[in-house]
Structure formats: C-alpha cells, structure tokens
Amino acid sequence: MVFRGTITDAPDFDPSVDAETLYNAMKGIGSDKEAILDLVTGRSNAQRQEIVKAYKSSYGKDLIDDLKYELTGKFERLIVSLMRPQAYHDAKEIHDALKGAGTDEKCLIEVLASRNNQQIHALVAAYKDAYGSDLEEDIIGDTSGHFKKMLIVLLQLKGLETGEIIKAQWGTEESIFIMLLGNRSVTHLRMVFDKYQEIAEKAIEDSIKSELSGDFERLMLAIVQCIRSVPMYFAKRLYKSMKGLGTQDNTLIRIMICRSEIDMLDIRECFRMGYEKSLYNMIKEDTSGDYKRTLLALCGGDDDLAGEFFPEAAQLAYKMWEISSMTKVQLRPTIRPASEFDPADDAQNLRKAMKGFGTDEDTIINIVVNRSNEQRQEIKQVFKSLLGRDLMKDLKSELSKNLERLIIGLMLTPAEFDAKMMRKAIEGAGTDEHALIEILVTRTNEQIHAMNAAYKHAYKKSLEEAIQSDTSGRFCQILTALVQGAREDGPADLDRALVDAQELANACNEDSDEMEIKFMSILCTRSFPHLRKVFQEFVRCSNKDIEQIIKKEMSGDLKQAMYGIVCSVKNQPNYLANRLYKAMKGIGTDDRALIRIMVSRSEIDLFNIRKEFKETHDCSLHEFIQVETMVVSSHFMSINTEAASVCRLMCPFCTCECLSDCYSVCLSVCLSVCLSVCRSVILYYNAYAAACPLFVGAEGERCSMAL
C-alpha cells in the first residue's frame, strides 16, 4: 500500500541559504514568525536536519535553542518538534508520557500500536541515546499487567514481515489476544479478522470490548484498528483531539508531525469520510494564530474544496461496508418489564405521589422508568378503573416543563409517541426536518404503520397529508415514500445488489433530477441488509463511497434525508448516538430530540446506542446527559453561580455549593423558586438517568441536613 504525505523534499534545496533565512528571521527585536513557519513546513524532516547542521556551522549556535528562545506557546512546541528527527520526536513523546505526573497511556498506545518495525527500532535507539536508559525497562517500571506485557511484545518486534498464513487460534484469554495480535503479520491478521467475523458473526473489536477492559482493551483495539487501516485510526484520533471543549494539543501536534510525510492525504480523506467535514476546516475552527497556520500547512489542503476521493479511502469504504453487511448486531434495551408487576399497587402509589400539597416526583420517576411500555398501559387502565381519574391528566397537572414532557412521553404507546413527535415536528413556526428524517429512517414498516394509524386517530388527518402540506419538492417526495412503510424485508440478494449498485453508479453521471429519482427509488425501498451490500458494491463500481456522493452531489433537506438513510443502514445505533450528541453539544440542549430518542429507543437498542456514544465521543452517554441537562437555559435548566446563590437563599437548610444538594430538602421549607429551579433540574436528569442505567451517580447529591 502506497501512502502519501503532504510534506516532501523541497526542490533546489540549499541548507546554508535556509540557515541564513532563519538566522535573519530571529535576529534583532522580535522574530519573523511567518518566515520561520513557511520555511520549516516547506522542507522535509531530512532537509531540516541538514539546516540544523548548517546553522551551527555558520553561526556557532544551536538552531533549536534559538527557536525555543524566540518562539512561545504551542507554536514554539510545534516548530521545535518539527526540527527533531522523527525517531527522537517519538522518543521524547514516550519519555514525557512515562516520566510526567502520571502516565499518559493514550500516548503510549498511539505511538507503539501505529509504528512499523523500522520505526520502533529507530525509536528504541533514539530513546537510549537521548535519555541514557532502556525503553523496555522504563515501560516495565511504569506500567503493569497485560497492558505492560502487550507493550513489551510490540517493542520486541516479534511480528512477522511475511504474508504467510498461520493456523488461526480462537478464545478470549488475554494471553491468546497478546500472542495473536503481537506475533502475526498484518496480512495474516486481516484474514484472521475476516474469518473470525464469519465464525462469530461479530467483529473482533466487539469481542475485545466484551472480554477485555481498561488500558489493555484500548491498546488491543488500537492494534486492531491500525491493522485494518492506519489512516482511519489517525483520523479518529485527530477528531477526538479537537472535538468538544478544549483541544488535546499534544495529540494534535504529534500526529500532524509524524504523518505529514507518510499518509496525511489518506488521513484527510478518512477524516472527511467519517466526520462530515474536512480535517483542514476542523483545524481552522479549533486553533488560532501562527499555530493554526503551521498545522494547516502540514495538513496541506481543504478536501471540502478539492472533492477528491483517494484510492486508499475507496478501499476502506469497501471494507467498512463489507464488515457492516457481515455483522449481526444483537439489539439490547435498557428498560425491561418489571418482575412481580402489580398495576393496582403502582396506580395507588402514583395517586399517592400526586395527592395533597406538592408532588413526590421521585416515586413517579421510579415507577414510570422501571416499567415497560406495555406495563405502563396497564397502569393507565387500572388507574382509571380503580380511581376514576385520568392518569395522563393528573401527571400533566402535577409535573412541569421537560420533566412533564419526558414522563408523558414514556406513558404514551410507542405509536402515539411517534405520532406526537411527528406532529410537533410539523406544526408551529418552522418545520423540524431533522426530526422528520430521524423518525422515518429508523422505524420499521410495522412501526410506521402503527404511527400512521395513531396520527390519523389523534389528529383526524393522515400523516402523509400533513407531510405534504408542510414540505415540498424532492424532500416531500422522499418523506412520502418513507411514510408508506413499504420497505422490503429479508436478506441481501447479491445479484440484484450488483445491478442496483451499477444503476446508482450510472445515475451519478446523469443530471441531478434523474440521479435523485434513482437514488430515492433504491434507498427508500430496499431492505437494510440488501442496501449494505449495494453500498459495498457501489464502491467497486464507482471508486467512491455513497456517503461522499450524497454530500457532494445533493443539497439541503434532501441531502440530509439521503444521508440519514445511509447512516441508519450502516449502523443505526451509531446514527442515533450522533443525533444525541448533536442534541446536547454546544450552548443549549435540543430537549425535544433528547426526549424523543431516549423514550423511543429505551426498549429497543438504547444499550447499543450507549456503547456507540462512548466509543465515538470518549464520554459515556450518562455523563453527557448529567452535564447537559444541568446546564444553562432560559427556563429552569440552569446551574450557575447566580442560580445557586438564589437557591441557597431560598433554601436556608442547604449549605453546599451546588443546586443538586437541595434535592431532598423538605418541601415545607423550600419555597417555590427553589423547587422550580433546583428540584426540577435534578428530577429531569434522574428521569434520563433511569432510562440509561448502570452509571455511577444516577442521582444528584442529597443535602445532608434535614429537619
């Protein structure tokens, strides 16, 4: 496989001239940073080493020392790192990871899992030369367990360089994983992974996640990812280094430097393919100043403008769809039917929770989120027959804001809830196109039929009519097609998949109208297993990925709908995990989207969604909900210094620093402001927490003072 970098040898290179240019850029008051970054990023690493030597010969000074003196901050760190030989840069990264305050296991994993034998040899020698100690001994002294053993295996370079096939061995013991992943060639291991997928009906990564844990699990996953595709592994690492609040600059610098002369072009394409934006634009948005300009020079270009699709990315796309078509996912809910269920007892307890002064939200949450939807329907019926009251009306009168919306959503049948969510997306000022797409691309035929019936019953008009009255053009057509609930069932038909793939590829060369019609006719009607095979063969027919074509050739809501179908076909839990992330990231939370997904998936695949969220965003869904449902909004979803002060003033028995401490203060003491600000926030969070269990801290801190 041929990798391509963005930094190559400069033509007509003269190290003495470059040394003089750098000297002039740094002499006198101030320094010409633009001249420094242009020169450094315009030379290969080998040429930079010649410049270092020429600088010392001409001026009797150390160039790196001068750069450290003249430059500051992240820009200085980046330029100085570029001036080191790559092996010495790796050695410094490993040394800092081992010798700093605490061990940076992620750095150790990234470097040792991604380097080839030659690079590891050079790293070990450079480490010995620079620090006078043995790298293996330092790793042994600073790590432990299977994690340590696997790092040592990687250092000892027992991996085979040939493509010979060795008899595969299966099992989940850590020693077997170490033996296989540390001692087999890349070619052999790729074949082992394919065979494992056939036998186990799941990817090797899933087995690693289920059998291993901690740093050892992360190391083994990194090795597998690098065996599958080093560029894809680094694209993922770069994305995680920049997403969210703050930038992991050490990771960003390390990867941009070490891959700029190897495979940065392919990393860029993998990045665009995986994250809907170019690496160039993400760096541009996440960094600033001379530091940003240097990183952009190493990146080499904006793929959103170029529109190229590199051969390496096409191969990866084909393999990705192949894995998707072979994997059988076991969907796992987070809410199951309660054992020893007594609807009459639940009905009485709910009535008691809403009777008299105040409302016992704890009891309501505890009952509602620990019963299946079918059991909740029984509770509603028994509540009316025993007490002569409408449970839904009582809940609406006793609860408020998002807590009310969430609890009421859980009490509706799935079909009623979907119908209500479609109604909310359509009615009012503006249409929530994202909600329409999300619901229609993730529901089965049976769920769509039930939703249509519920919509007709509740709103006295068909859902199809409502969609057609509120949308237009091709977007209206694709929603109308999806709302029919007429998608084919069954496995992939290989012969037909080849025909469909070729028709899609041919449509890419036609005008936009013909292309959109052909894409819609296939994407809206074929079964998901069949479409996975179609999308795989599409790569072979066109040398492009279906996602890239949709992003490049389509626009607006139609593009979002087509893209939603493709993402749902590829990995529906991952698609919904990303929808949850987008609902909560940034300032403000899209509470409607958050409620919609949590309610509708809690008895289907919320556990799978949780796993995908954790893997993609390096944060558990539970942690994210905890933070985002207790962050600023214009209503009661607010935890800040001012609100906390108000809460403490209105609740004299709360002496702690955060609003969650007011959680259990006696209702007769807390005034209404305290209740509406503090208690609602915590209860809203707890309702989500119960739907997404198995997380430490499922309830807010309780006030230790009581009357």
Side-chain angles (χ1 to χ4, degrees), residues 64-283:
I64 291 180
D65 287 344
D66 282 2
L67 289 169
K68 287 180 178 179
Y69 180 79
E70 292 292 333
L71 308 178
T72 58
K74 291 175 284 191
F75 179 56
E76 176 254 319
R77 207 186 326 161
L78 178 54
I79 292 295
V80 168
S81 296
L82 280 165
M83 296 306 301
R84 293 192 183 98
Q86 183 57 52
Y88 282 82
H89 177 64
D90 281 348
K92 186 178 188 304
E93 291 294 296
I94 292 290
H95 183 265
D96 291 347
L98 291 170
K99 300 303 180 183
T103 304
D104 185 351
E105 291 85 2
K106 290 183 179 179
C107 175
L108 296 178
I109 291 169
E110 178 199 300
V111 173
L112 296 181
S114 64
R115 303 306 192 255
N116 60 33
N117 286 2
Q118 183 179 354
Q119 290 168 329
I120 292 285
H121 279 304
L123 161 62
V124 171
Y127 191 93
K128 182 76 171 178
D129 180 57
Y131 304 106
S133 60
D134 182 76
L135 177 54
E136 183 175 329
E137 291 178 0
D138 285 355
I139 287 176
I140 290 172
D142 211 61
T143 58
S144 61
H146 290 295
F147 179 60
K148 174 181 71 176
K149 292 176 186 176
M150 192 65 213
L151 291 177
I152 298 307
V153 168
L154 294 174
L155 275 181
Q156 290 174 345
L157 306 172
K158 292 180 181 177
L160 303 174
E161 290 295 339
T162 65
E164 66 200 76
I165 300 300
I166 301 172
K167 185 178 179 181
Q169 299 185 40
W170 311 105
T172 59
E173 292 293 334
E174 287 86 346
S175 58
I176 294 179
F177 278 107
I178 291 174
M179 184 274 293
L180 283 174
L181 297 187
N183 294 276
R184 299 291 189 265
S185 70
V186 168
T187 306
H188 174 77
L189 283 170
R190 285 176 182 156
M191 299 181 73
V192 169
F193 296 163
D194 290 344
K195 195 67 179 174
Y196 186 90
Q197 184 110 10
E198 290 179 23
I199 295 172
E201 295 186 341
K202 63 179 178 179
I204 186 70
E205 291 93 331
D206 292 331
S207 291
I208 290 173
K209 291 172 190 175
S210 64
E211 300 294 338
L212 310 179
S213 62
D215 293 325
F216 183 47
E217 175 196 346
R218 286 185 280 274
L219 174 57
M220 300 304 263
L221 286 173
I223 294 170
V224 170
Q225 289 163 8
C226 287
I227 288 167
R228 289 199 188 278
S229 168
V230 171
M232 187 65 82
Y233 170 72
F234 279 116
K236 188 174 183 179
R237 289 283 295 155
L238 283 168
Y239 176 74
K240 289 185 176 181
S241 74
M242 290 182 281
K243 75 175 184 68
L245 296 175
T247 303
Q248 299 171 23
D249 293 293
N250 286 343
T251 300
L252 181 57
I253 290 171
R254 183 171 59 247
I255 296 174
M256 295 302 293
I257 289 175
C258 77
R259 309 315 292 187
S260 61
E261 296 185 41
I262 301 174
D263 55 1
M264 185 58 70
L265 290 174
D266 295 304
I267 291 171
R268 275 167 39 185
E269 186 55 49
C270 291
F271 193 98
R272 182 176 63 172
M273 187 169 66
Y275 302 110
E276 303 181 46
K277 68 190 305 181
S278 69
L279 174 60
Y280 187 95
N281 273 328
M282 193 154 186
I283 291 172

